[in-house]
Each structure stands twice: as structure tokens, then as C-alpha cells.
Amino acid sequence: LLSVNRNAQGESAVGLVAGKNNGTISDCMITGNGTFEVANHFVATVSSTGMWFYAGSICGLNTGTATLKNVRSYGSFEYSPLVSNGTKSNTENHSYFGGLAGKNWGTIEQCQYAGKIESAATRVESYYFSSISVLIGGITGIQEKGGVIAACSADATISVADTTGVNVECIGMICAESHGATIRDCLASGRIQHNSVVGKAFIGGILGYNGSEGKVSNCYVTTEIIEEKSGNSAPFYIGGIVGYNSGNCTVKGSCMAGSIASQTSRQYGYIIGAAENGSTCFKCYYSASATIRIGTEMKLVGTCNAGSVKEADALCSAALLSEELCWDASVWKIGNGAPTLKCFE
């Protein structure tokens, strides 16, 4: 159990190896089960700058000079935030959890997370905050400008329970939210199971929210996304690869062979759930066997029609991945079923 009780503004970060990594963490493995519990108790002296909490099984923060390489985490973790006693309406509260790192603006490469991340019900008591957000990613909760995730794999069950008083949730099998950062050559599988009523939700098989000229490329997704809570009128953005793609952001050379089932989503897509003007989707494909079900109705296309359909065999063929999309043969093993990352052989 890692338990943090906070009553001051600013950042806090925890991890099983390091709270904050400024160097290199490599060739290590985390196994077993654990609980990250954070209690954010605001007091009357808290300023408008708000509070940010970052947690990961390896580190809370992976800074711009830092690297995670060949790190494996096979633990199952419960992330349990508590927000209480808010006293100023202009104060923000943000909680980030990643299977490896809470926040990354350095490099994460050839790393793997396989396990379960369960976010217990976010308990909000007597709050008066302008924003409360919870972000969960299989590799990292959030990436900032300059951050790179490359040749990483996440095969997880990410489960988000019912929440009260939360304004925004972002969930991604690789990363929840990214700003001006890069995700490339990543493999995402497993399941995202969302059972929460929030102000907004951004959910993606790779990335929940892509902002500030962020880039996603050469990724393969078989993630199953299930959103079960009905009756919420707030926007839900669900994409097989990216939930929401902001202007000047790019998704290219990537493939989706997963599924989406939602009770409430109004904006959804096989590749991107929703896209702003100026965003780019280039040479992305989804499998003819991939499905989107909204309520009880199966959808042949999404509200965001980015990407083109191919038969399942063609989607993982050398003709598509090696020749047309030019995936790196030194990174990927291609041509015998679904592609795999050579670094995990």
C-alpha cells in the first residue's frame, strides 16, 4: 500500500522504484499487487494553482532528461483517489496514474505493462473546485511536450468505477492524455471498462486525448472498450485508437482490430472518436471484423469516419504493414498473424 495524504498545493509524485526519475531506469521488473491511495484534503490556505498527483508502478514523474528502458510491470493495482474539503472555486485537482509512470516528458521505450488497473470509486466530499480530473493510462497517465513512448506494449484490464463530482476522465491503453508528445510503434490489447458518470470522458485504444501537435504512428490495437453507464448527457468521445484528436494533431499508419461498446457515446469512431479541424488521419485502417455497438445498435461506421476498412488477414499482412505503411522491420515481427514487437520475444 502506498498512501499519500496531501493538504498543500502543487505537485506530488510516487512510484515503487522512484517518485521522480531524472536519469535512467532499465532492465527491471515489478510483479505482485498493490494499492495506491491518495487523499487530497484542501484547506482554506490553498491557492488557485491547485493540486496535481502522479503515480506509477515504476515512477510518478519521468522527466525530460529521464529514460525508462526495458522495464516490465506485471502488477495489478488499485488506484483510489479521495478529494475533500475544497474551499475555493478556482482551485483545480488532477490525479494521474500510469501502469509505468504517472507523467512522462522524457523517453519510455521497449517497456511493457500487463496486469490490471482498477480505479476505485473517486470519492468527492464537500468539494468546491473548478476542475476535478482523473486520468489513467496503461503506460503513462499523461505525456507532455517532448515526451516519447516507443516500442511499448500494454495488455491490461483498466477498470474505472462510478465517480461522483469528477469533471473529466481520460483513459488510454498506452496513454490517457498527450500534449505535443509522440507515441509510435506501440501494441495495445486488453480491455478498458468504464462505468462512470462524469462531465466528459475521452477514451482510446491507444490514447484518450491527443493535443498540441501530438503524434500517434505505427500502432496496432486489439483493445476492447466497454462503456456501461447510461443516462449521462455529457460528451463521451471513444475511438479505437484515439478518443479525441485536436487540431494540428496526427494519427497515421496505424491499425485497429478491436471493438467498442457504449451506452452513451455520441461521438465515436473505429480510428478516432472525434476530431477538430486541422487534425490529420493518414493511412489508418480498421478490420472488417472490428465492431462498434452503441446501445443495442451495431454501427457500420463511426460519427468520425477516419480510416478505411480491410479484411482481418490483410490488416496484419506484410503487404500492408511493411510495404505500404513502412513499419520498421527491426522493431516489428510481421507476416505470421498479428504483428508483435521483437523486443519482447
Side-chain angles (χ1 to χ4, degrees):
L1 171 66
L2 264 179
S3 182
V4 178
N5 194 321
R6 305 169 60 221
N7 60 7
Q9 70 268 28
E11 291 187 343
S12 295
V14 299
L16 296 178
V17 177
K20 183 177 183 180
N21 179 34
N22 290 317
T24 298
I25 298 174
S26 64
D27 305 316
C28 64
M29 181 185 298
I30 297 289
T31 60
N33 303 323
T35 298
F36 288 80
E37 184 176 89
V38 55
N40 296 334
H41 297 286
F42 279 6
V43 296
T45 57
V46 168
S47 75
S48 61
T49 58
M51 302 173 77
W52 290 263
F53 179 78
Y54 306 97
S57 70
I58 303 298
C59 62
L61 297 173
N62 196 55
T63 71
T65 61
T67 297
L68 301 182
K69 185 171 183 178
N70 192 29
V71 171
R72 317 289 174 89
S73 179
Y74 303 129
S76 293
F77 301 101
E78 180 179 312
Y79 181 53
S80 180
L82 164 65
V83 182
S84 66
N85 301 329
T87 59
K88 289 195 174 182
S89 61
N90 60 348
T91 303
E92 299 178 355
N93 184 292
H94 307 279
S95 294
Y96 305 83
F97 185 86
L100 299 181
K103 178 180 179 179
N104 174 57
W105 65 103
T107 299
I108 302 176
E109 59 181 338
Q110 297 179 11
C111 294
Q112 184 178 45
Y113 176 75
K116 182 176 181 179
I117 301 171
E118 183 175 5
S119 176
T122 303
R123 306 184 301 279
V124 181
E125 302 171 358
S126 183
Y127 71 95
Y128 301 94
F129 309 128
S130 61
S131 178
I132 301 173
S133 59
V134 176
L135 297 92
I136 300 174
I139 298 296
T140 186
I142 187 168
Q143 278 214 115
E144 296 291 359
K145 187 174 182 179
V148 175
I149 299 175
C152 289
S153 168
D155 180 6
T157 297
I158 300 176
S159 178
V160 179
D162 198 8
T163 56
T164 303
V166 174
N167 301 110
V168 177
E169 281 180 344
C170 289
I171 309 168
M173 187 56 69
I174 298 296
C175 177
E177 184 173 325
S178 181
H179 296 275
T182 297
I183 299 172
R184 66 171 184 267
D185 295 310
C186 286
L187 187 62
S189 51
R191 172 186 286 190
I192 296 172
Q193 190 156 343
H194 185 266
N195 185 27
S196 175
V197 175
V198 296
K200 289 184 179 180
F202 305 87
I203 304 173
I206 290 285
L207 175 62
Y209 184 94
N210 193 22
S212 306
E213 301 183 352
K215 298 177 177 63
V216 176
S217 63
N218 297 12
C219 293
Y220 197 90
V221 181
T222 60
T223 307
E224 179 185 17
I225 300 173
I226 301 173
E227 185 274 306
E228 296 181 320
K229 200 73 174 181
S230 61
N232 185 11
S233 61
F236 268 62
Y237 307 95
I238 302 178
I241 294 178
V242 173
Y244 191 94
N245 209 45
S246 299
N248 298 318
C249 292
T250 302
V251 182
K252 69 176 184 179
S254 296
C255 300
M256 183 270 202
S259 63
I260 296 171
S262 173
Q263 291 296 318
T264 60
S265 178
R266 291 165 179 80
Q267 299 196 55
Y268 50 86
Y270 284 97
I271 305 298
I272 299 171
E276 292 181 0
N277 290 335
S279 70
T280 301
C281 179
F282 179 70
K283 286 193 174 181
C284 289
Y285 299 94
Y286 60 93
S287 170
S289 62
T291 59
I292 297 179
R293 178 172 58 82
I294 305 298
T296 59
E297 184 181 356
M298 298 298 295
K299 300 290 185 178
L300 297 179
V301 296
T303 53
C304 182
N305 294 323
S308 302
V309 64
K310 284 189 176 291
E311 293 300 321
D313 290 344
L315 195 72
C316 53
S317 67
L320 175 67
L321 302 179
S322 297
E323 297 172 20
E324 181 178 346
L325 301 184
C326 300
W327 283 20
D328 190 340
S330 68
V331 175
W332 292 96
K333 183 177 180 180
I334 297 169
N336 185 20
T340 58
L341 289 165
K342 290 184 174 181
C343 59
F344 302 125
E345 292 181 339

